[in-house]
Amino acid sequence: MKPTFYVTTPIYYVNDVPHIGHAYTTVAGDVLARYKRLMGYDVYFLTGSDEHGQKVEKAAITAGETPLELADRVVKRFQALWERLGISNNDFIRTTQERHKNGVSRIFKDLLDKGDIYLGEYEDWYCTPCETFWTETQLIEGRCPDCNRPVEKLKEESYFFRMSKYQEQLLAHIEANLDFIQPKSKRNEILSFIKEGLRDLSVSRTTFSWGIPVPGNDRHIIYVWFDALTNYITALGYPDETGNYGRYWPVDVHLIGKDILRFHAIYWPTFLMAAGLPLPKKVFAHGWWTVEGQKMSKSLQNVVEPNMLIDKYGVDAVRYFLLREVPFGLDGDFSHTALVQRINSDLANDIGNLLSRSTAMAVKYFDGLLHVAVELTETDRTLKLKTEEMVTIVDKFIDEMAFSKALQAIWEVISAGNKYIDETAPWTLAKDPANSGRLATVMYCLLESQRITHCLLSAFLPATSEKALASLGWNEEVSKEGLAWGGLKAGTTITKAEALFPRMEE
Ligand code: ME8
């Protein structure tokens, strides 16, 4: 049986249309999912939409729609974007689906029955955009400490989750599992937050109606984060153990942005502990994008719309840029100049040129027919070794979510390929028919190195790699076995590759 791998993105709010931040997490999830599939895993990749709560209700009122009409309309935009971006999710969960609502009610009821959720009264400051309560001392100059927007005082009867009860168990878990929260700097933030003391968490609201009612008391709506976080198991059919839930839970990694780490590293694990369910293996928080040096916001009108980027630069250029430009886990800046530079140097020049030069020579010197490599010289062996090492290094980096390092390691082999052409000078060899054995070996090494590179790259740049592999005569499905040197067989037909990436005006 194949080993399983379950990866999730956050489920995005439908009160906003998709932007580059959403695309970022989702592309990262896709690379992981595609890579693990290629390595032989049985992968489940989940994304979806967060459709309940006051924020969505308010947006719907403003738009003159029902919340569900709003959700139906906006969710299509997310789904269409994921399709354009080549996102290979296995499922898309909407929190308004029955499968989700049933699962949430069930887990809420279990915790009520167990006494880990109880009825009490709440009075505190509430930030509606963040859907979060704050104490007086947490406010910064009377505003929300997360988003700096005004807060309002709310007093309401509320159900509470006994989060305080799980404080020590959670601390012990985080301390015993170094990889549980990543990157490390974020893990430390969470540890100190917990050590300050966890209060019981208000998990219901009575001030609006758009959500899942509390079982047995429908004056109360389940807190949107309790509702949303549970998507990671309701999508698997929880509480039914026999299907996907039994197969894929616990999740291998929840990919999220740093803004929502506390919900994933404190609330969610304690809910699961209370329900007696296994915890996620890993929660990875990536950084935030600014745009041309500024915070991205609707009011600044600088929100980067992924469809516009795809129209202008192409899908794979966008995917590449997002994961190459900034180490995953750190903040980064989006700029058109940086993107165009990446396209011209890394994509058009390095990888595009290498493939078009190599395949053009194969066609010119051998009519596109591939011959066996006769005897490898030191230069050939160096390229072969570098290619083989790349496979191991990339695996390690992907496990660490170090996508930009994985791409750098791949690009080292691409540079090595370009250097190999200069060193072996096939055009000189081609002048003398006596060298044809040597020339065939050079062509083999050059093309085989790129075949392996493009098999790996198929996780990052699926459309590009498909074209590249087709011109390299590789029609097999990419697989772990296919990453071994020697896959290309004599007699394979190589065709001249078109430019993979056109150069852009700076
Ligand atoms: O928080 N840079 O949904 P959301 C990088 N529904 N990533 C960014 C970003 C930026 N400037 N802006 C947003 C929610 N993101 C909840 C999640 S999960 C159970 C519920 C990304 O629509 C980042 O991944 O506000 C962040 O975590 C996500 O968008 C939040 O999307």
Side-chain angles (χ1 to χ4, degrees), residues 122-389:
Y122 209 104
E123 184 174 16
D124 240 330
W125 295 99
Y126 193 67
C127 173
T128 307
C130 295
E131 308 269 18
T132 307
F133 270 106
W134 300 102
T135 60
E136 188 81 34
T137 50
Q138 284 173 317
L139 299 182
I140 297 175
E141 293 176 357
R143 287 167 167 261
C144 171
D146 267 1
C147 73
N148 196 34
R149 278 177 281 212
V151 287
E152 46 184 331
K153 191 91 176 210
L154 284 189
K155 181 172 179 168
E156 52 180 66
E157 186 189 73
S158 171
Y159 284 89
F160 286 87
F161 166 63
R162 279 188 212 285
M163 199 157 70
S164 56
K165 177 176 163 190
Y166 294 96
Q167 172 168 334
E168 293 312 314
Q169 199 180 330
L170 179 61
L171 268 181
H173 184 84
I174 298 174
E175 269 157 6
N177 295 277
L178 288 179
D179 283 354
F180 178 52
I181 301 170
Q182 287 192 6
K184 207 171 152 200
S185 58
K186 294 284 179 281
R187 175 178 184 268
N188 294 336
E189 277 174 29
I190 291 292
L191 278 173
S192 36
F193 186 89
I194 301 172
K195 284 177 185 159
E196 279 175 27
L198 295 183
R199 297 191 304 159
D200 287 353
L201 181 73
S202 162
V203 287
S204 76
R205 301 287 182 265
T206 50
T207 47
F208 62 93
S209 59
W210 179 236
I212 305 172
V214 164
N217 185 355
D218 57 15
R219 278 199 314 112
H220 284 258
I221 296 298
I222 295 176
Y223 174 45
V224 68
W225 274 101
F226 188 98
D227 170 341
L229 288 161
T230 309
N231 91 86
Y232 300 129
I233 56 176
T234 57
L236 299 180
Y238 174 84
D240 177 6
E241 300 261 349
T242 59
N244 283 340
Y245 176 73
R247 183 154 154 193
Y248 295 109
W249 192 259
V251 69
D252 289 273
V253 57
H254 287 314
L255 293 180
I256 55 165
K258 64 177 185 179
D259 53 321
I260 55 174
L261 179 60
R262 206 176 298 158
F263 302 100
H264 285 81
I266 300 178
Y267 294 9
W268 179 225
T270 52
F271 297 161
L272 288 166
M273 282 173 176
L277 304 178
L279 302 197
K281 291 181 203 159
K282 190 182 292 185
V283 176
F284 194 105
H286 64 66
W288 263 42
W289 288 92
T290 50
V291 176
E292 313 275 351
Q294 279 187 305
K295 193 177 160 150
M296 185 166 66
S297 81
K298 273 190 203 160
S299 51
L300 290 173
Q301 296 191 319
N302 65 348
V303 175
V304 180
E305 210 280 291
N307 281 298
M308 179 273 289
L309 293 182
I310 300 171
D311 291 341
K312 204 163 167 180
Y313 304 111
V315 176
D316 280 355
V318 175
R319 290 176 61 112
Y320 178 76
F321 179 82
L322 289 177
L323 294 184
R324 174 63 186 82
E325 187 68 4
V326 180
F328 205 61
L330 299 185
D331 293 336
D333 185 50
F334 174 88
S335 79
H336 289 275
T337 318
L339 174 49
V340 168
Q341 275 166 1
R342 286 271 169 220
I343 292 175
N344 287 345
S345 73
D346 303 6
L347 299 179
N349 252 4
D350 296 345
I351 192 168
N353 256 348
L354 178 61
L355 186 75
S356 50
R357 282 167 91 190
S358 319
T359 53
M361 288 191 287
V363 170
K364 182 168 173 194
Y365 304 140
F366 294 105
D367 286 331
L369 194 65
L370 192 75
H371 296 271
V372 277
V374 190
E375 194 185 315
L376 301 195
T377 65
E378 189 61 34
T379 319
D380 307 339
R381 274 198 300 272
T382 307
L383 182 66
K384 174 173 181 275
L385 193 68
K386 268 194 156 39
T387 309
E388 287 166 340
E389 282 172 353

Side-chain angles (χ1 to χ4, degrees), residues 369-375 436-437 439-442 444 488-491:
L369 194 65
L370 192 75
H371 296 271
V372 277
V374 190
E375 194 185 315
S436 87
L439 182 58
T441 300
V442 166
Y444 185 88
L488 277 182
K489 298 290 175 246

